Amino acid sequence: MDNTQDKQTEAKPEEQQQNEAQQQPEAQQQQQEENADEAKAPEQPAADDEVEKLKKQIADLNDKYVRTCAEYDNYRKRTAREKADLIKGAGSDILAALLPVIDDFERALAHMNDDADVNAVKDGVALIYKKFNDYLAKRGVTVIETKELPLDTNVHEAITMIPAPTPELKGKILDCVEKGYMLGDKVLRFAKVVVGQ
């Protein structure tokens, strides 16, 4: 019996050694996992800091985008308002310059009934007409020439055709029914003309 006990005691240390040998890699593995967790623990706050930093950057960029859109919208509205004011201002200047012509017409009408001299009335109306034409010329308005010129559909509007009195006047303007006007290179009103055929 002693032999069997000795064998069992000898066997036990071998088993224990094997168990201990198996437990050692498990312990080492646990130790490595703990070390890895410890190593990850400092990385976790760094990652959180990085996420917060990126969130802040996104918020800043979004704020800049919203502000840029608002500034552009304000710019667009301001320029549209300035353009409308400029157009109104230009119109008011033109109308203010026409007021003296209206005053002249009112004075002429007031004296027409009192004045027995028809020539004086004619001279007064001629002066008003000249004043008004001078005003238009200062603003760049010119009369479209028509007398015996060839028909130009860019500036003339033929309202009728009549037989030409001479062969040279065929296709040319014989009469102007309504004067046309240009403002620089732009047609304000086409000249209404009669053309010979």
Side-chain angles (χ1 to χ4, degrees), residues 79-95:
T79 53
R81 188 172 48 249
E82 287 172 356
K83 184 178 177 182
D85 290 345
L86 185 65
I87 291 169
K88 284 180 186 176
S92 66
D93 289 347
I94 292 170
L95 295 175

Side-chain angles (χ1 to χ4, degrees), residues 1-45:
M1 241 184 175
D2 286 334
N3 282 342
T4 56
Q5 247 180 358
D6 285 338
K7 284 181 183 177
Q8 284 178 354
T9 54
E10 284 176 15
K12 262 188 181 180
E14 282 179 21
E15 285 176 17
Q16 283 179 350
Q17 284 175 356
Q18 286 178 353
N19 284 343
E20 286 175 8
Q22 286 176 351
Q23 287 176 355
Q24 260 185 348
E26 288 176 10
Q28 285 177 351
Q29 189 176 7
Q30 279 182 340
Q31 184 67 28
Q32 287 175 352
E33 287 176 4
E34 287 174 10
N35 289 344
D37 288 341
E38 287 175 11
K40 285 182 183 177
E43 287 181 18
Q44 189 66 25

Side-chain angles (χ1 to χ4, degrees), residues 103-182:
D103 293 338
D104 290 342
F105 272 119
E106 287 174 351
R107 282 191 284 275
L109 289 171
H111 291 309
M112 241 184 234
N113 294 334
D114 299 341
D115 211 353
D117 188 11
V118 176
N119 288 331
V121 174
K122 284 182 183 178
D123 291 342
V125 172
L127 285 172
I128 296 170
Y129 178 74
K130 183 183 179 319
K131 186 176 187 177
F132 189 66
N133 276 333
D134 290 345
Y135 167 76
L136 291 177
K138 285 180 187 174
R139 298 286 184 206
V141 177
T142 56
V143 176
I144 296 172
E145 294 297 322
T146 58
K147 188 78 172 162
E148 297 183 1
L149 292 175
L151 179 69
D152 181 2
T153 55
N154 293 324
V155 291
H156 302 131
E157 180 183 342
I159 57 170
T160 189
M161 294 183 83
I162 60 170
T166 63
E168 303 90 49
L169 293 177
K170 281 188 178 182
K172 294 192 178 177
I173 298 169
L174 300 177
D175 189 22
C176 180
V177 177
E178 186 176 84
K179 285 184 179 180
Y181 294 92
M182 303 267 298

